[in-house]
Amino acid sequence: MLKSFQAGGTRWSDAQAERPAAAYHEFYRDDFQPREHYLPLWKHIQRAGQRGLALKAREAHLALHNEGVTFTLYSDQESGIERVWPFDILPRLVTAGEWTPIEAGLKQRIRALDRFIHDVYHEQCILKDGVVPPELIYRGRDLCRDILDVDPPGGVYIHISGVDLIRDESGRYLVLEDNLRTPSGVSYMIENRLIERRILPEFFQRYRVRPVEHYPERLLQRLRQLSPRGAADAVVVVLTPGIFNSAYFEHSFLAREMGVELAEGRDLVCRNDRVYLKTTLGLRQVDVIYRRIDDDYLDPLVFRPDSLLGVPGIIRAWRAGHVALVNAPGTGIADDKAVYAYVPDIIRYYLGEEPILPSVPTYQMTDPQDRDYVLDNLERMVIKAVSESGGREMLMGPTSTAGQRDDFTRRIQADPRRYIAQPVIQLSRHICYLDGELESRHLDLRPFVLHGGDEIEVIPGGLTRVALTKGSLVVNSSQGGGSKDTWVLAD
Amino acid sequence: MLSRIAESLYWMARHLERADNTARVLDINVVHRLAAEEGLTEEGQWLPLLTILGADDRYAETYPDGRVSVQRVIRLLTQAETNPGSILNCLRLARENARAARDRISTPVWETIDALCRTAEARLKATLPPWQAAEFHAFVHREVATVYGLAQGTMMRGEAHSFTRFGALQERADMTARILDVRYHLLLPDPSLVGSPLDYYQWGVLLKSLSGFDAYRRLYQAGVRPVDVIDFVILNPDFPRSLVYCVSRLERSLERIGQRPEGEVGACLERLRAHLAGVGAADIMAQGLHEYLDAFLTALLELSDALTRDYFNHDV
């Protein structure tokens, strides 16, 4: 671990010892010189010195605190703990050369997945052709029969997605997870950029960084276009589960940035298959709902009857074509982790193309051979529950105890459809400025994709999440991870 | 705007105003307690206060022995978790409502309410001796004033601001009427006390708890006379806590909100205005101050119900 800052040196002496052989280092080359595109940043870091960085880090924390940029950590208590967004001042750089295939790969992936959802809810050709096993869909918990044969406004299901990318030991980008329901993080991507611009303006002078702050503007345009009454008269709202949700900050951020109402389920009411906002001047019809509530809680008449978060009748209104829901109901069938293994086939099936971005090898626990192999090698596996997110119900093999492994063995045997396994991948690492030290930490990247039908747009950047615990591979914000501003460099 | 948000803003302001008024009357009583020793028991000193704040039943429940002491009154009205109207609970509710309407209030307003609530929670963990209570009450008084000042200086004059104003003005009118009612009720029955030092003291406290003592002295050179106090507190159009002032500003807030065509709030405000128009302090005394204020408070309650029906509730 770094103990002293060597202002004149080219690197920190013990950074080498800290780096395990396996993980790719984003910042250092194999000879422990900074990679070429990091050299200007590196010079700035050295010029700033320990005191300069400490000052910047303090400023950043203060700014995030004052602006109320928070994230709620769920704990045993229901209410959770509100924390200042953990932000590392050193940016992550992605070169134009790296970004081009990422962008193409994400567009390809989202286009195919969107067609997949449409197909499953209409003709089901892919199931009939046996490319994706029908039982995978029928035995999963996400297929919703109430929305079969519905044509969503604009014909698109996955309007907004956040796809988690990691880099493997050779530095190759892989898709780890598709988040197609209500992915969060885009507000933090923007806040990270705003803070970085303010505290490190000198860093920006040497780089041409592609902007991300226009996202809410683009989002609003896309949402308005979906209005059944036409974009000119569109009444758009953001639908939130409420202030106790971990991503409430983000919901209010987006509503504020777009200048639209932030509504809870109780603020909406359905009449005659239309959705209305309860305002001080009476009911006002709503055309587009950017909902940040999962399908399960969206409409107690269709999904969970005990839910108080949603709006009774909203699915009927959507089926009738009087309101656009974003993302459309049903997207869950495509980001089920059990479906993940079939995405390369899905891409080939609908687009007739080879996948640009590779996936992590995935073992199906429903397959006896796969299952036996995984159970014999649990220490080297990550086990994930297929319908969970945020790092819940997950086994990290290498750091697990025998008791935890026994527990998961029992769970997998009891309900194989519920779990998948992947080999542990050493996520790439990057230097972070932590408590006055420069240390390397594992990280991933969640870029955001807007699908507008004819055009798919990938915001150049994304949320880089950092595992703040040394050596940990768990980066989820809900598990206390940190973040970095992510700069996609222009050519 | 969303009904729920409007309602939150309205209650945020009411709870803040309520905390401020409670601190105000409590503080004045604590500070002036020593001056009143002559001829007044501790009960005589504190019971009216409990009545004004509608906390007498709660007091009897909490302290079944019926003994009234400063420390108990301070505790019940300032920090008791069990008293929904304690300053602490009012501030918590104000913060909760502010949080729900976070989008619609400016950042400085939110930060001040948040800090006020957190500081109050920290300071009210311990028992407050009277001198510390006075200091705490002054703090609440100042911070609430800061919130209002920031709201005035940083919030758009739209619906959000108007619902906030509406809540504060309505609560203020309510408290002013109640303070006057209870004090007058308590004082008047004994004519022998009129003009005595105690009488002067009691009316003085009333004016001070409304922050109107200095202004009153300048306006009414004849001294502290009940008829003048009534004129000042009910009918003076320029005194910011008078009933006339509050009602006229409520009307202005309603104009900004936009009156609902089929709504009743306008009619309720009209009734309140008519109640205050065309009478003098002597007329009010002649018809009975208590009856007069009682009718005012009833009309105010009707206004509150109408507001809820018109703007906050579209389920029915």
Side-chain angles (χ1 to χ4, degrees), chain B residues 263-283:
Chain B
E264 302 159 44
V265 171
C268 290
L269 271 172
E270 182 53 43
R271 273 206 295 284
L272 279 169
R273 198 159 64 99
H275 189 67
L276 296 167
V279 286
D283 305 329

Side-chain angles (χ1 to χ4, degrees), chain B residues 161-210:
Chain B
H161 184 264
S162 297
F163 276 109
T164 309
R165 279 287 283 164
F166 205 97
L169 287 163
Q170 194 195 315
E171 182 67 28
R172 182 175 299 172
D174 182 274
M175 285 297 265
T176 297
R178 285 207 258 166
I179 290 169
L180 188 56
D181 187 26
V182 172
R183 286 293 180 199
Y184 191 76
H185 211 51
L186 183 86
L187 284 170
L188 213 62
D190 190 352
S192 70
L193 286 178
V194 173
S196 75
L198 179 63
D199 192 35
Y200 170 82
Y201 156 75
Q202 283 285 355
W203 288 109
V205 164
L206 186 151
L207 289 166
K208 280 175 183 159
S209 62
L210 295 170

Side-chain angles (χ1 to χ4, degrees), chain A residues 432-447:
Chain A
C432 298
Y433 183 74
L434 296 168
D435 294 328
E437 314 273 349
L438 279 188
E439 299 198 21
S440 293
R441 290 289 185 269
H442 294 291
L443 39 74
D444 76 352
L445 173 62
R446 176 179 289 181

Side-chain angles (χ1 to χ4, degrees), chain B residues 1-308:
Chain B
M1 73 189 301
L2 282 180
S3 298
R4 175 174 57 84
I5 300 295
E7 191 172 15
S8 290
L9 289 167
Y10 168 79
W11 282 108
M12 172 192 84
R14 281 201 74 165
H15 284 119
L16 275 180
E17 182 70 26
R18 178 87 200 234
D20 179 38
N21 275 296
T22 304
R24 206 176 264 282
V25 289
L26 196 50
D27 184 43
I28 298 296
N29 264 46
V30 172
V31 169
H32 291 272
R33 194 170 142 260
L34 290 175
E37 289 298 340
E38 182 193 338
L40 195 64
T41 62
E42 208 158 10
E43 250 124 310
Q45 166 81 7
W46 291 108
L47 278 179
L49 187 64
L50 293 168
T51 311
I52 289 171
L53 299 169
D56 20 20
D57 289 349
R58 181 81 45 185
Y59 192 90
E61 256 171 57
T62 314
Y63 303 107
D65 65 11
R67 199 167 53 80
V68 179
S69 76
V70 189
Q71 202 59 66
R72 283 178 169 188
V73 174
I74 290 175
R75 175 158 200 86
L76 185 79
L77 296 180
T78 304
Q79 59 204 133
E81 308 262 354
T82 52
N83 175 16
S86 70
I87 293 175
L88 180 61
N89 280 326
C90 284
L91 292 177
R92 281 178 179 158
L93 288 167
R95 182 185 183 276
E96 206 171 285
N97 281 292
R99 190 165 137 95
R102 176 68 190 83
D103 272 20
R104 295 301 187 119
I105 52 178
S106 64
T107 299
V109 169
W110 160 252
E111 284 173 351
T112 309
I113 293 174
D114 185 45
L116 165 59
C117 187
R118 280 186 286 122
T119 309
E121 287 193 324
R123 287 181 61 176
L124 295 181
K125 282 198 174 111
T127 300
L128 291 184
W131 64 272
Q132 266 183 3
E135 197 186 297
F136 175 75
H137 296 141
F139 163 76
V140 171
H141 183 39
R142 254 194 337 269
E143 290 301 297
V144 172
T146 305
V147 173
Y148 289 156
L150 288 168
Q152 197 199 353
T154 61
M155 278 174 72
M156 287 290 291
R157 292 301 186 273
E159 271 190 277
H161 184 264
S162 297
F163 276 109
T164 309
R165 279 287 283 164
F166 205 97
L169 287 163
Q170 194 195 315
E171 182 67 28
R172 182 175 299 172
D174 182 274
M175 285 297 265
T176 297
R178 285 207 258 166
I179 290 169
L180 188 56
D181 187 26
V182 172
R183 286 293 180 199
Y184 191 76
H185 211 51
L186 183 86
L187 284 170
L188 213 62
D190 190 352
S192 70
L193 286 178
V194 173
S196 75
L198 179 63
D199 192 35
Y200 170 82
Y201 156 75
Q202 283 285 355
W203 288 109
V205 164
L206 186 151
L207 289 166
K208 280 175 183 159
S209 62
L210 295 170
S211 292
F213 187 75
D214 299 346
Y216 176 89
R217 290 311 297 261
R218 266 192 301 279
L219 275 173
Y220 302 90
Q221 297 289 318
V224 182
R225 297 191 311 167
V227 69
D228 291 339
V229 174
I230 287 166
D231 181 59
F232 181 64
V233 171
I234 297 182
L235 301 173
N236 189 304
D238 299 318
F239 174 49
R241 312 193 81 86
S242 80
L243 301 187
V244 161
Y245 182 93
C246 289
V247 169
S248 76
R249 291 310 190 279
L250 279 168
E251 286 180 309
R252 192 181 289 182
S253 298
L254 183 67
E255 279 168 28
R256 282 232 166 79
I257 290 167
Q259 206 170 318
R260 286 174 60 81
E262 74 281 26
E264 302 159 44
V265 171
C268 290
L269 271 172
E270 182 53 43
R271 273 206 295 284
L272 279 169
R273 198 159 64 99
H275 189 67
L276 296 167
V279 286
D283 305 329
I284 292 173
M285 285 179 83
Q287 60 174 278
L289 179 68
H290 174 69
E291 287 70 20
Y292 182 80
L293 290 172
D294 205 40
F296 178 83
L297 285 168
T298 307
L300 202 60
L301 198 65
E302 283 165 7
L303 171 71
S304 176
D305 292 344
L307 190 78
T308 303

Side-chain angles (χ1 to χ4, degrees), chain A residues 350-370:
Chain A
Y350 292 110
L351 307 180
E353 298 169 5
E354 276 305 304
I356 299 168
L357 286 169
S359 305
V360 179
T362 302
Y363 301 99
Q364 297 287 354
M365 294 303 89
T366 43
D367 178 317
Q369 243 181 320
D370 274 13

Side-chain angles (χ1 to χ4, degrees), chain A residues 381-415:
Chain A
M381 295 287 167
V382 187
I383 312 293
K384 295 172 179 173
V386 293
S387 297
E388 291 292 336
S389 61
R392 285 186 291 273
E393 207 178 340
M394 184 169 146
L395 179 80
M396 283 299 285
T399 54
S400 63
T401 64
Q404 287 167 339
R405 289 195 292 274
D406 288 347
D407 178 37
F408 265 84
T409 301
R410 272 192 301 275
R411 293 191 200 195
I412 290 167
Q413 281 162 343
D415 187 0

